[in-house]
Amino acid sequence: LVRQALGLSNIAFSLDAACATSLYAMKIAIDYLEMGKADIMLAGAVSAADPFFINAGFSIFQAYSDQGLSCPLDKRTGGLTAGEGAGMVLLKKYTTAVQDGDKIYGVIEGIGLSNDGAGKFVLVPSSNGQVLALNRTYEMSGIKPGDISYIECHATGTPVGDTAEMQTLDKVFQESPKPPMVGSVKSGVGHLLTAAGMASLIKIILSMNKGTIPATINVKEPISSPGNVIKSNNVVTENRPCP
């Protein structure tokens, strides 16, 4: 629909990679730019599923919050709260954007993909798969984990998912002299499902451009990682300057 409305080329895809959909879309877009098959790519996602279907579905899996409140990275959380939304970014090669005099909001140094493989269950996240994705990203970008000052977590608010993500950060940042701050946009907008990654990305881009990391709201009892690499005070519960 977007391609037809804007009269774009026939390089167009519609894909579904669950919560990673928008990030996979960006990876495909970047591949086309790097191969020289496109000068500009749009990558985005939309989530507007029937609320009753979504709420009933997550309730069956005991992943839906009965509090009516999204509290990621909080000891009190009872599950996720779904949200609706859409977002899109325009991507160019950095040299092209500079040459064209574009306003550059952010630079993507690398995207690491992985798969959970044989886990406990299709909806139970695997820390090993997450570690692999992060390590691939840092290897691709040439950035060391110790240089990372903030992590925008997937953190949906499910106790199993948030704990698995904290275990991941334990493994990746255990050698870091100053572990990163963490937060989740889902406290403000809910879990946007297929558009979750786009909401997180746009939050980070705006944070860097405004110079402020906004608070992860609704957090009263912030969690720490199992190995205490990420301490409870690493959770951004009030606005902080963006490093």
Side-chain angles (χ1 to χ4, degrees):
L1 289 174
V2 173
R3 181 187 69 81
Q4 291 174 352
L6 299 181
L8 305 179
S9 72
N10 60 357
I11 301 175
F13 302 92
S14 177
L15 61 101
D16 187 345
C19 305
T21 297
S22 48
L23 303 182
Y24 265 82
M26 290 178 58
K27 179 65 170 69
I28 292 173
I30 289 171
D31 287 346
Y32 270 84
L33 291 171
E34 291 185 337
M35 289 187 294
K37 294 187 176 181
D39 299 316
I40 298 174
M41 291 293 288
L42 294 173
V46 59
S47 180
D50 180 86
F52 177 79
F53 173 78
I54 294 297
N55 296 348
F58 279 116
S59 294
I60 291 172
F61 294 119
Q62 297 181 337
Y64 195 74
S65 172
D66 57 3
Q67 303 168 350
L69 196 65
S70 183
C71 305
L73 304 175
D74 192 301
K75 295 177 183 177
R76 304 169 302 138
T77 189
L80 64 84
T81 301
E84 295 183 0
M88 183 168 285
V89 292
L90 184 148
L91 301 170
K92 281 185 175 181
K93 292 184 72 172
Y94 179 75
T95 51
T96 306
V98 171
Q99 179 180 321
D100 293 346
D102 294 328
K103 177 174 174 57
I104 299 172
Y105 288 87
V107 178
I108 298 169
E109 297 284 359
I111 295 182
L113 304 181
S114 71
N115 195 289
D116 285 353
K120 294 181 179 178
F121 182 63
V122 68
L123 292 180
V124 177
S126 162
S127 178
N128 291 335
Q130 295 174 1
V131 169
L132 185 59
L134 283 169
N135 286 339
R136 284 174 172 171
T137 303
Y138 297 138
E139 183 178 351
M140 181 187 306
S141 63
I143 296 173
K144 298 178 181 179
D147 296 330
I148 301 298
S149 54
Y150 176 78
I151 290 283
E152 174 66 18
C153 295
H154 182 54
T156 62
T158 62
V160 172
D162 287 9
T163 300
E165 196 163 1
M166 287 293 107
Q167 290 174 338
T168 297
L169 300 184
D170 264 343
K171 298 172 185 175
V172 175
F173 294 99
Q174 58 185 338
E175 304 296 333
S176 299
K178 187 178 180 181
M181 297 180 287
V182 297
S184 173
V185 72
K186 292 175 185 63
S187 67
V189 300
H191 186 2
L192 268 59
L193 310 174
T194 48
M198 191 55 58
S200 297
L201 175 75
I202 291 174
K203 172 190 170 182
I204 289 295
I205 291 173
L206 293 177
S207 296
M208 291 191 299
N209 282 268
K210 299 294 184 180
T212 300
I213 299 175
T216 298
I217 61 174
N218 301 330
V219 177
K220 303 299 182 185
E221 300 177 39
I223 64 174
S224 57
S225 61
N228 208 35
V229 171
I230 306 296
K231 297 179 172 57
S232 58
N233 61 5
N234 286 78
V235 180
V236 179
T237 58
E238 57 185 28
N239 292 356
R240 297 193 191 183
C242 187

